[in-house]
Amino acid sequence: MDMIRALNAAIRYMEDNLGGELDLEQAAKIACVNPDSFQRFFSYITGMSLGEYVRARRLSLAAMDLRAGEEAIVDLAVKYGYESAAAFSRAFFRQHGIRPSDYRRRGGAIQLYPPVSFQIQVKGAKKMNFRMVEMKETQLWGISRAYDAQEKECPEMIRHRLWAEEEENIPGQLCEGAWNQPGSTAYDGLWYGVWKNGRYMIARDAEKEGLEKIILPAGAYAAFQTEKGGLAWEEFPRLFELIFDCWLPTSGYRQKGDWIVEISHLWTDHEARKKNRYYEVWVPVEKRE
């Protein structure tokens, strides 16, 4: 319940500041999570990025202002964070399908987005393979890329892009050989996906020249595990939803730090991987005061 109240307080803060300076780090602080987790959690639960939501809400309020008042369009553009009336007009048209001047003059159908709210809901008895672990300080080596969780690229798209062979093939840069290579075991074992401070890293615990090094701090982690045989693009979203929507609000814990660790148990051989693969999400936590 405390987390639900905190999340709704963060939304109220955002609503109060849509027509001015909006500090998303302050919103995350009110929600009792770090900014990266707040943006990622928001995306998982609502299906849209935090940046998209803010833009949609501002353009919804702008539409109401256009019909209710006499503020100049250029003043509304500044009020809702646009650098010019032209930029505001383009954004307004993309959402509502009508230009601000035309909507003010004759009205019409528009696309309004109401404020989001978080509530306790009965989700069904979903099984969660959960344990608390004390992790030692862990060193990993890998390749990371920055991302902006406020923009349209959701976490699933970021993860898929970094793992995709047709793009950078980051796993191939971490290992010798290739997936499904007969007789090879190069890809067998643990693979890490680390979300930290606006970056996502694919990593392993084997040092290799030219790779970035990251240190995962020692401490208490809430660890959640899937069953065997699932697909990453299905399993990780499900785990994140269970953790942040179901477990964390009622657990007596809160997230600590600015990182979340994904662990993939994988095999080089396709058939072994298909049968045995499973995934974990580890979240650093501390007791609520």
Side-chain angles (χ1 to χ4, degrees):
M1 288 296 291
D2 289 341
M3 186 173 183
I4 296 300
R5 283 194 289 268
L7 287 168
N8 284 320
I11 296 301
R12 286 195 297 272
Y13 163 79
M14 291 166 59
E15 286 293 311
D16 290 341
N17 290 277
L18 287 172
E21 292 295 326
L22 176 55
D23 184 347
L24 294 180
E25 289 193 7
Q26 177 63 21
K29 183 177 180 180
I30 294 170
C32 299
V33 295
N34 63 64
D36 192 46
S37 292
F38 181 54
Q39 293 169 12
R40 187 166 53 248
F41 169 74
F42 188 94
S43 175
Y44 276 117
I45 299 303
T46 66
M48 65 192 307
S49 73
L50 189 56
E52 287 179 293
Y53 171 77
V54 169
R55 286 191 290 274
R57 284 292 299 139
R58 282 176 162 168
L59 291 169
S60 296
L61 295 178
M64 291 186 280
D65 287 349
L66 278 168
R67 293 292 289 171
E70 296 296 329
E71 290 178 89
I73 290 176
V74 67
D75 292 334
L76 288 176
V78 173
K79 178 180 179 179
Y80 290 110
Y82 291 88
E83 295 181 354
S84 67
F88 171 67
S89 181
R90 288 192 297 270
F92 193 93
F93 184 83
R94 282 195 298 270
Q95 177 162 319
H96 299 298
I98 187 173
R99 302 200 179 280
S101 56
D102 294 334
Y103 181 68
R104 165 164 279 171
R105 186 171 62 255
R106 67 172 186 267
I110 55 175
Q111 297 291 322
L112 290 179
Y113 287 79
V116 70
S117 65
F118 297 93
Q119 302 175 16
I120 294 291
Q121 296 182 7
V122 176
K123 297 285 186 177
K126 296 181 181 179
K127 182 171 72 171
M128 301 179 71
N129 294 321
F130 161 76
R131 67 191 189 280
M132 289 295 298
V133 296
E134 284 291 332
M135 187 172 77
K136 298 179 180 179
E137 183 178 279
T138 301
Q139 299 181 13
L140 302 174
W141 290 265
I143 297 173
S144 72
R145 294 290 181 267
Y147 66 91
D148 188 348
Q150 296 185 45
E151 298 305 321
K152 292 184 178 181
E153 192 173 38
C154 68
E156 277 62 60
M157 295 170 62
I158 296 164
R159 184 189 297 109
H160 176 76
R161 177 165 55 81
L162 267 65
W163 280 88
E165 291 184 78
E166 62 270 19
E167 294 203 23
E168 296 184 75
N169 188 23
I170 290 177
Q173 299 181 51
L174 270 59
C175 283
E176 302 296 333
W179 295 109
N180 312 325
Q181 186 173 357
S184 173
T185 59
Y187 286 68
D188 289 12
L190 302 184
W191 289 78
Y192 296 85
V194 183
W195 301 92
K196 180 176 173 61
N197 195 27
R199 299 187 73 86
Y200 179 72
M201 170 182 275
I202 297 176
R204 302 200 77 181
D205 63 358
E207 185 175 1
K208 185 177 179 182
E209 186 177 354
L211 298 180
E212 303 169 46
K213 178 181 177 181
I214 188 172
I215 298 176
L216 301 180
Y221 286 73
F224 303 82
Q225 179 181 314
T226 71
E227 300 294 328
K228 291 184 177 181
L231 296 168
W233 63 271
E234 294 176 336
E235 297 289 3
F236 280 127
R238 185 181 72 86
L239 275 183
F240 272 89
E241 182 178 355
L242 287 172
I243 293 166
F244 287 99
D245 197 22
C246 299
W247 182 81
L248 198 55
T250 58
S251 67
Y253 288 90
R254 62 185 176 190
Q255 184 186 0
K256 179 182 179 181
D258 60 354
W259 67 96
I260 293 176
V261 183
E262 301 171 348
I263 303 176
S264 299
H265 299 254
L266 301 177
W267 282 259
T268 310
D269 178 75
H270 175 72
E271 291 304 317
R273 186 167 70 253
K274 183 178 179 181
K275 178 181 178 182
N276 298 317
R277 64 192 170 202
Y278 65 97
Y279 310 93
E280 298 182 74
V281 172
W282 289 30
V283 181
V285 295
E286 61 185 0
K287 278 285 190 179
R288 291 181 181 276
E289 296 178 357

